[in-house]
DNA sequence: GTTGCAGTTGCAATGAGTTGCACAATAACA
DNA sequence: TGTTATTGTGCAACTCATTGCAACTGCAAC
């Protein structure tokens, strides 16, 4: 896989721990949490520490091989970037998540570059808001009554 | 101030703790951290707990009276929303932050609404990337050598 | 080979933020 | 006013993630 090559080319060691983390991210279909990665790594080799998993994830993130995204669950999720650029819309009411193409962010990216000379890292966004179904409901409700999830 | 009225109108109590937190956010000029708020609250009344500060901030956030933003410092910062909508570009290399007008995000907001029926909460974004000055530097460097901040 | 050294790991401690729970404060109602 | 229901707070325990440090690894120079 291309990640391992990139890692070595940049002068980082391809340790067993890093290989295991990479394998598991590759095998996982969608977004995966650090805890899930750690558990699967430990099935193969039980002595790998969670801090090593986090350090590996931070390294892969720095190299833009994976994305780190807060989907509003209280912990972050990771995903391979080589699997096509896309982003997500997360409904703050029902919690559902909808993917959308990177295409929709390209005009913004171009504008930030042109107006401010800023090259934005638009790897994998999670944009919060109200989905089509929840939008009418929220407008009506007096915000206090009938709150779906146990907030505040 | 309008925040206190909103709070009461929505049926929330205007407790001394909440008033102190609101006061401090109003008095602070830019973005402020929970820890800073807590310290200033304690100068007035030393028995307020940090969890009450966090709970108040989460409430104000839910009501869209303040924004909560990760500016890449390892903790989040809060800012009054009534002080004009804007966002920030944060350079991942030099750490500098540049404000930009909400105007630049409006086309995206419109597009998400039109294409996906999704009403995005674009309260106060921090978009990471490379600023004008750092952009040339990053392209050249082999990523490993001469890394400014003590990463990985 | 063995010495030197940068890179990496495990472990324990720490930091930021949240949560369960008992109690306090306030509102609602008689 | 007294009684009860609701909301909010303090505290301690907890979760997710990061960090300092000592020990270990792989590699190159001597
Ligand atoms: Mn995704
Ligand atoms: Mn701001
Ligand atoms: Zn929804
Ligand atoms: Zn910069």
């Amino acid at each position: 896989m291309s990640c391992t090559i990139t890692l070595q080319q940049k002068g980082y060691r391809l340790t067993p721990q890093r290989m295991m983390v990479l394998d598991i991210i590759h095998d996982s279909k969608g977004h995966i949490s650090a805890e899930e990665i750690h558990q699967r790594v430990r099935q193969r080799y039980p002595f790998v520490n969670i801090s090593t998993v986090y350090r590996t994830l931070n390294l892969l993130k720095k190299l833009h091989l994976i994305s780190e995204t807060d989907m509003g669950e209280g912990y972050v999720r990771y995903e391979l970037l080589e699997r096509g650029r896309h982003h997500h819309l997360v409904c703050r009411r029902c919690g559902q998540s909808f993917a959308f193409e990177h295409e929709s962010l390209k005009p913004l990216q171009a504008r930030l570059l042109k107006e401010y000379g800023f090259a934005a890292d638009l790897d994998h966004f999670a944009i919060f808001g109200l989905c089509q179904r929840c939008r009418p409901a929220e407008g009506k409700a007096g915000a206090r009554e009938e709150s779906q999830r146990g907030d505040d």
Side-chain angles (χ1 to χ4, degrees), chain A residues 76-95:
Chain A
V76 297
R77 289 187 171 274
Y78 301 86
E79 184 174 30
L80 268 190
L81 276 181
E82 66 183 20
R83 285 211 274 260
R85 192 146 304 187
H86 67 277
H87 312 274
H88 297 269
L89 300 170
V90 183
C91 181
R92 66 157 187 269
R93 194 162 180 277
C94 68

Side-chain angles (χ1 to χ4, degrees), chain A residues 24 31-41 75 77:
Chain A
I24 283 155
H31 314 118
I32 187 169
S33 73
E35 190 53 47
E36 279 167 35
I37 293 169
H38 185 221
Q39 279 180 11
R40 293 194 204 171
V41 168
Y75 53 85
R77 289 187 171 274

Side-chain angles (χ1 to χ4, degrees), chain A residues 91-96 98 129-135:
Chain A
C91 181
R92 66 157 187 269
R93 194 162 180 277
C94 68
Q96 269 195 273
F98 313 84
L130 285 174
C131 76
Q132 198 151 29
R133 277 222 308 264
C134 296
R135 198 147 48 84

Side-chain angles (χ1 to χ4, degrees), chain A residues 2 22 30-31 41 44 46 57 60 66 69 74 76 78 96 99 105 108 110 117 122:
Chain A
S2 63
L22 269 171
H31 314 118
V41 168
R44 286 198 230 164
L57 290 170
L60 298 175
I66 62 171
T69 314
V76 297
Y78 301 86
Q96 269 195 273
L105 282 188
L108 173 65
L122 305 181

Side-chain angles (χ1 to χ4, degrees), chain A residues 107-120:
Chain A
L108 173 65
Q109 189 161 40
R111 186 165 181 171
L112 294 179
L113 190 61
K114 195 176 167 193
E115 283 192 31
Y116 308 95
F118 190 90

